[in-house]
Amino acid sequence: MPLIKGRNEKMKIRIWLDRILAFLTVISFSGVIIVVTIQIMSRYLPYTAIWTEELTRYLFIYSICFGAPLALLRGEFINVDLILTKMSHAFRRYYEIGIYLLIILLSGVLVKEGWFFTQLGENQTSATMPFQMSVIHAAIFIMSAFLLLYSIVKIIRLIRNEEDFNSQMGGGEL
């Protein structure tokens, strides 16, 4: 019973993290839409918003930062379905574990280098925005940490045979 209780608590934490990432993805992408709208409107109004291009870029970076780990967890990255459908279930599990191990390796490198990159931005300020570039540089560190964490979650699911490959086939809505 204690094992199940601990597992449920970990699941609740992960679901909570998923919701926060989804919320931040929606907020940052909504920010992109709002800022681009301001940018377009400023072309026809006497007000010039010189900061919009830079802020749009930063919001887009953060929308990818928050959305990429969720896409990894939900299996929404690009796959070559033609090849994957030909694989047996057992082989596909090992194949997927290998992919996620490579993602863990890459994410580990990016976490380390992302931390150094974030520290590098402490002495730099944005050209048109009133904040340090370390805030923007932190996106690499944050995204890599969540990709690493969610890759571990995917490997655990694969080892426990909790992944349904059939639900990931067929594309989905465009």
Side-chain angles (χ1 to χ4, degrees):
M1 187 72 167
L3 180 64
I4 293 173
K5 184 178 179 184
R7 189 172 172 189
N8 286 339
E9 289 174 8
K10 290 176 187 174
M11 191 69 146
K12 286 180 185 178
I13 291 170
R14 213 219 63 234
I15 290 170
W16 183 73
L17 281 174
D18 295 352
R19 288 181 180 163
I20 290 173
L21 285 174
F23 176 75
L24 292 172
T25 302
V26 168
I27 292 297
S28 57
F29 202 73
S30 297
V32 168
I33 293 168
I34 291 167
V35 173
V36 168
T37 302
I38 292 170
Q39 185 178 28
I40 292 168
M41 288 175 26
S42 72
R43 294 176 187 166
Y44 303 104
L45 298 173
Y47 172 71
T48 304
I50 60 171
W51 48 269
T52 55
E53 182 182 343
E54 188 174 11
L55 184 58
T56 300
R57 193 174 326 126
Y58 298 154
L59 288 169
F60 189 68
I61 288 169
Y62 267 97
S63 67
I64 293 169
C65 166
F66 300 134
L70 292 174
L72 179 123
L73 186 67
R74 296 174 183 166
E76 295 175 346
F77 280 149
I78 295 173
N79 289 322
V80 181
D81 292 350
L82 183 65
I83 297 170
L84 296 177
T85 56
K86 303 293 183 200
M87 293 180 185
S88 69
H89 184 76
F91 182 77
R92 171 95 187 263
R93 279 183 52 217
Y94 292 118
Y95 171 80
E96 295 279 339
I97 288 171
I99 296 292
Y100 291 115
L101 286 172
L102 288 173
I103 292 173
I104 287 172
L105 179 68
L106 177 64
S107 295
V109 171
L110 285 173
V111 164
K112 178 181 175 273
E113 295 302 321
W115 178 253
F116 291 133
F117 192 51
T118 301
Q119 291 176 331
L120 182 70
E122 289 178 359
N123 298 325
Q124 301 172 351
T125 56
S126 171
T128 61
M129 305 298 299
F131 50 79
Q132 292 180 330
M133 289 305 293
S134 60
V135 173
I136 305 307
H137 294 175
I140 294 172
F141 175 77
I142 294 167
M143 181 184 70
S144 301
F146 278 110
L147 285 174
L148 194 142
L149 173 70
Y150 283 0
S151 292
I152 292 170
V153 169
K154 290 290 277 191
I155 289 174
I156 291 170
R157 280 183 176 177
L158 287 162
I159 290 171
R160 291 181 179 160
N161 204 16
E162 296 174 352
E163 281 293 309
D164 179 20
F165 299 122
N166 295 328
S167 66
Q168 297 176 7
M169 295 297 169
E173 297 181 32
L174 292 177

